[in-house]
């Protein structure tokens, strides 16, 4: 049971709150000890297991499960490669990524890159949304092309909001984004419903997806309306939109519940490519597991080949039969292919696969490849190009022949903010969050009324220390109130767990800082409100009301 200790200078019990919070740790990749959040922890009350639902409201019980189940990588591993990392990265609030290294490399080399995220205007923007705002703005400040979109088609189709409601919320999101530092002169703002390029791209992407796939990813069924399904491919088009003027590393900052969108977008980006590039060892096709076995057989050629410089496929098949490497099913299939190839040499090569290429593009690729090559009906093998060189060549031929040349979009994942009342912060529970539109006094009162990770009494807190790891108020310091000041965030944490800081005083300080933030933020919103007409985005929809309204 949580208690409200806003009128007492002591700690408060929080026995029911089980969301993991923050801890201090040392790392040789950081200049100082920063407040970071553990990868795991016990689940929040009402949390699902690691189920990712872009339209649901579940929290993530254990972030480490995302690494194992969905292939999300720990952000700590790429952090040393990021120049001037944002404090959300340093503190572990941004905890995971998919393929962020190309973005970090582009930053280091001053090469083009982009960042995009969308906002579904279903309510007021709150401090949880500020995480995404900050991530987009930071990437813009690092030299990236920044894109922020209003997902109004999704809000209308998936949530049933009227266009008048969407317009009001969209304006509020845009004002807060601008007030926090987004530069509209250097970035792009748009609405899905007004962007014809996005809609045209969505049409093309839709040809590469089918209902069975969407059903498997999103659990759609016979009751799912077509507009909802259409909103999915529109989001895919949003994610790839920054690359319409040329392929570039592109990062999408999102919460982990949006990862299904990222996996589908990466798949569709690959399917839209004219050519795939892979490793091969003979004229026949082989999947990734089979290629691993072929590599093993090739590397062992000194053991079995009559001419080790020219091992034969049949010889490799005999070696695989004798040594029985796992997995058995892949071994059996690749042995059959090797037997059929017989005396053909087993020889590493780089393969260009024809995925969607026009006849003209395929011929152009053949002509462009220098050196030794073998041309087949649906692929070309080259013996003088490594994988990276082949990828670059394939993309250039594609672009020269009218293709997109998409690079797989990257993503970074931030933790959900804990609600001020425990559990997930939710727009539908006013007491759980602080709206960026809240009156500063209301923001002050909400923080003062927040549950904490404190002990039952002040004496126990002084003796045992507070549980900052389980405290929504400490999260406010780590996620927002400390800003870029790691030392201040560390001080709050150390004083709490050391028993020097009691919840009453801690919440008073946090409440005052929150009120100051809201006052400053809303002053900047008012300044931008007078300049909205200058922006290249229409915030008043002319769409006619429908039955959904």
């Amino acid at each position: 049971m949580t208690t409200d200790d806003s009128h007492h200078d002591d700690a408060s019990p929080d026995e029911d709150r089980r969301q993991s919070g923050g801890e201090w740790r040392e790392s040789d990749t950081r200049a100082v000890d920063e407040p970071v959040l553990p990868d795991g922890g016990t689940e929040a009350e009402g949390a699902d297991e690691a189920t990712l639902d872009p339209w649901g409201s579940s929290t993530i019980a254990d972030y480490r499960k995302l690494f194992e189940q969905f292939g999300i990588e720990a952000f700590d591993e790429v952090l040393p490669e990021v120049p001037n990392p944002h404090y959300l990265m340093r503190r572990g609030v941004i905890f995971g990524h998919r393929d962020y290294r190309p973005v970090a490399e582009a930053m280091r080399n001053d090469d083009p890159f982009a960042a995009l995220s969308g906002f579904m205007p279903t309510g007021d923007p709150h401090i949880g949304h500020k995480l995404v705002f900050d991530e987009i703005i930071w990437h813009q400040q690092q030299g990236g092309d920044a894109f922020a979109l209003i997902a109004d088609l999704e809000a209308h189709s998936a949530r049933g909001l009227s266009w008048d409601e969407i317009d009001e919320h969209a304006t509020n999101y845009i004002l807060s984004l601008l007030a926090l530092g987004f530069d509209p002169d250097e970035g792009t703002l748009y609405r899905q419903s007004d962007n014809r390029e996005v809609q045209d791209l969505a049409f093309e992407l839709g040809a590469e997806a089918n209902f069975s796939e969407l059903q498997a990813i999103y659990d759609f069924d016979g009751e799912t309306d077509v507009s909802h399904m259409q909103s999915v491919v529109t989001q895919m088009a949003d994610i790839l939109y920054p690359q319409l003027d040329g392929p570039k590393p592109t990062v999408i900052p999102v919460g982990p519940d949006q990862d299904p969108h990222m996996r589908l977008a990466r798949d569709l980006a690959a399917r839209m490519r004219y050519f795939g590039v892979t490793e091969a060892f003979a004229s026949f096709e082989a999947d990734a597991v089979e290629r691993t076995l072929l590599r093993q057989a090739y590397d062992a050629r000194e053991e079995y080949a009559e001419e080790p410089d020219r091992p034969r496929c049949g010889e490799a098949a005999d070696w695989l039969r004798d040594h029985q490497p796992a997995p058995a099913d892949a071994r059996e299939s690749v042995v059959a292919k090797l037997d059929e190839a017989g005396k053909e040499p087993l020889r590493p090569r780089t393969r260009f696969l024809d995925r969607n290429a026009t006849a003209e593009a395929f011929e152009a690729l053949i002509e462009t490849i220098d050196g030794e090559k073998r041309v087949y009906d649906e692929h070309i093998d080259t013996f003088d190009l490594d994988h990276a060189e082949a990828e670059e060549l394939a993309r250039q031929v594609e672009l020269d022949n009218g293709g997109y040349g998409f690079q797989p979009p990257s993503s970074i994942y931030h933790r959900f903010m804990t609600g001020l009342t425990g559990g997930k912060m939710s727009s539908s529970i006013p007491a759980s969050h602080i709206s960026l539109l809240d009156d500063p006094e209301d923001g002050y009162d909400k923080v003062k009324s927040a549950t904490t990770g404190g002990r039952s009494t002040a004496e126990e807190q002084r003796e045992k220390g507070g549980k900052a790891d389980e405290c929504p108020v400490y999260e406010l310091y780590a996620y927002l109130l400390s800003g870029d000041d790691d030392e201040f965030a560390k001080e709050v944490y150390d004083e709490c767990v050391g028993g020097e800081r009691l919840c009453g005083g801690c919440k008073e300080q946090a409440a005052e800082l929150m009120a100051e933030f809201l006052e400053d933020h809303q002053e900047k919103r008012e300044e931008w409100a007078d300049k909205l007409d200058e922006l290249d985005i229409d915030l008043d929809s002319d769409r006619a009301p429908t039955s959904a309204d």
Side-chain angles (χ1 to χ4, degrees):
M1 178 179 180
T2 60
T3 61
D4 176 10
D5 69 336
S6 58
H7 303 296
H8 303 279
D9 187 22
D10 58 11
S12 64
D14 192 13
E15 298 172 357
D16 290 338
R17 205 184 95 71
R18 296 175 286 141
Q19 172 88 8
S20 64
E23 65 178 11
W24 289 95
R25 69 181 177 206
E26 296 187 6
S27 170
D28 57 8
T29 65
R30 297 177 171 88
V32 296
D33 288 339
E34 297 97 6
V36 295
L37 300 172
D39 290 335
T42 53
E43 65 177 333
E45 185 172 359
D48 293 339
E49 292 300 312
T51 300
L52 301 182
D53 177 3
W55 297 286
S57 59
S58 63
T59 57
I60 302 301
D62 185 341
Y63 287 100
R64 287 172 299 186
K65 293 178 181 176
L66 302 180
F67 302 150
E68 300 168 4
Q69 290 181 236
F70 302 106
I72 293 174
E73 300 178 71
F75 197 84
D76 271 355
E77 297 173 4
V78 74
L79 181 62
E81 304 173 35
V82 180
N84 186 32
H86 192 275
Y87 70 80
L88 293 173
M89 298 173 174
R90 301 195 303 265
R91 295 176 192 165
V93 177
I94 295 173
F95 72 91
H97 75 100
R98 279 192 189 278
D99 198 24
Y100 190 69
R101 285 185 173 84
V103 179
E105 182 180 3
M107 284 186 213
R108 295 194 305 271
N109 298 331
D110 292 325
D111 291 335
F113 71 96
L116 173 144
S117 202
F119 308 99
M120 186 159 58
T122 57
D124 291 345
H126 57 64
I127 56 174
H129 298 122
K130 182 180 179 293
L131 299 179
V132 182
F133 292 151
D134 286 344
E135 292 168 64
I136 289 292
I137 292 165
W138 178 82
H139 281 94
Q140 183 181 51
Q141 293 169 345
Q142 307 314 303
D145 296 328
F147 295 77
L149 68 106
I150 297 298
D152 56 353
L153 293 178
E154 182 184 4
H156 188 64
S157 63
R159 295 291 177 85
L161 267 72
S162 71
W163 291 105
D164 286 343
E165 291 173 310
I166 289 170
D167 289 349
E168 178 183 355
H169 296 318
T171 299
N172 284 326
Y173 274 86
I174 293 297
L175 283 174
S176 282
L177 177 68
L178 295 168
L180 289 167
F182 184 91
D183 185 346
D185 294 328
E186 297 296 327
T188 301
L189 300 170
Y190 71 89
R191 297 174 64 136
Q192 289 175 327
S193 60
D194 289 342
N195 192 320
R196 184 55 190 262
E197 286 186 302
V198 164
Q199 294 175 43
D200 288 347
L201 179 57
F203 182 84
E204 299 295 335
L205 294 172
E208 297 294 332
N210 58 57
F211 174 73
S212 296
E213 182 174 35
L214 298 186
Q215 182 182 41
I217 296 172
Y218 301 110
D219 200 28
F220 288 163
D221 57 29
E223 299 301 315
T224 305
D225 63 71
V226 174
S227 291
H228 192 170
M229 290 185 278
Q230 186 178 0
S231 77
V232 171
V233 292
T234 302
Q235 289 174 79
M236 301 303 101
D238 288 325
I239 291 169
L240 295 173
Y241 177 60
Q243 298 192 56
L244 282 187
D245 63 351
K248 63 175 75 70
T250 301
V251 61
I252 315 298
V254 289
D257 56 336
Q258 300 298 302
D259 186 60
H261 291 325
M262 293 308 307
R263 297 199 304 272
L264 178 57
R266 289 173 63 84
D267 285 347
L268 290 177
R271 291 177 211 170
M272 294 292 288
R273 294 293 309 278
Y274 279 6
F275 307 104
V277 177
T278 188
E279 182 182 38
F281 292 87
S283 60
F284 55 77
E285 299 289 346
D287 64 25
V289 179
E290 291 173 334
R291 290 196 298 272
T292 299
L293 296 176
L294 289 168
R295 168 57 67 183
Q296 292 178 30
Y298 180 79
D299 289 344
R301 63 192 181 278
E302 295 284 349
E303 299 177 22
Y304 62 80
E306 185 176 334
E307 299 178 59
D309 291 340
R310 193 178 176 82
R312 304 291 181 173
C313 288
E315 293 174 315
D318 291 338
W319 183 87
L320 287 170
R321 270 190 288 264
D322 290 343
H323 288 78
Q324 299 284 303
D329 55 347
R331 183 182 68 247
E332 291 175 3
S333 65
V334 80
V335 163
K337 294 175 181 179
L338 287 166
D339 280 336
E340 185 175 352
K343 293 186 177 182
E344 179 186 340
L346 187 71
R347 184 183 178 192
R349 76 284 306 270
T350 300
R351 174 164 295 168
F352 296 88
L353 298 167
D354 182 354
R355 284 180 172 160
N356 295 298
T358 62
E360 293 79 7
F362 192 75
E363 289 298 323
L365 181 62
I366 295 171
E367 294 177 8
T368 305
I369 297 172
D370 292 327
E372 185 182 358
K373 58 194 170 189
R374 301 283 186 275
V375 178
Y376 302 87
D377 288 342
E378 295 183 349
H379 66 262
I380 307 166
D381 291 349
T382 175
F383 299 89
D384 299 320
L385 293 175
D386 63 26
H387 192 278
E389 293 170 330
E391 282 277 11
E392 183 177 353
L393 180 63
R395 178 171 282 111
Q396 190 57 56
V397 170
E398 179 176 347
L399 292 171
D400 290 344
N401 287 271
Y404 294 106
F406 289 133
Q407 293 191 23
S410 308
S411 49
I412 52 176
Y413 302 92
H414 56 259
R415 300 170 186 276
F416 294 120
M417 287 194 77
T418 307
L420 299 179
T421 54
K424 184 182 177 183
M425 185 172 291
S426 171
S427 298
S428 61
I429 306 175
S432 76
H433 73 273
I434 295 173
S435 166
L436 295 176
L437 280 60
D438 274 345
D439 183 276
E441 292 185 7
D442 291 337
Y444 175 95
D445 291 339
K446 285 184 179 180
V447 176
K448 288 286 287 184
S449 299
T451 186
T452 72
R455 305 288 180 175
S456 299
T457 65
E459 291 73 19
E460 185 181 3
Q461 176 106 345
R462 292 189 180 98
E463 177 185 354
K464 299 180 179 179
K467 295 181 283 186
D469 301 353
E470 302 178 4
C471 182
V473 176
Y474 174 68
E475 281 190 13
L476 293 178
Y477 283 103
Y479 286 46
L480 187 155
L481 300 177
S482 297
D484 203 42
D485 190 345
D486 290 332
E487 289 299 328
F488 175 47
K490 182 180 188 304
E491 177 184 300
V492 172
Y493 184 91
D494 287 346
E495 289 179 355
C496 174
V497 299
E500 304 168 51
R501 175 175 286 252
L502 301 181
C503 292
C506 185
K507 289 207 291 186
E508 174 63 30
Q509 184 180 25
E512 291 176 356
L513 290 172
M514 182 61 72
E516 291 173 8
F517 163 75
L518 289 173
E519 183 175 2
D520 177 70
H521 180 68
Q522 288 166 20
E523 287 178 358
K524 292 176 180 176
R525 280 174 54 93
E526 291 177 6
E527 293 172 6
W528 274 106
D530 295 332
K531 298 184 286 186
L532 282 181
D533 290 342
E534 302 173 13
L535 301 179
D536 188 22
I537 183 172
D538 187 356
L539 294 171
D540 295 316
S541 174
D542 58 1
R543 290 185 171 237
T546 68
S547 58
D549 297 346

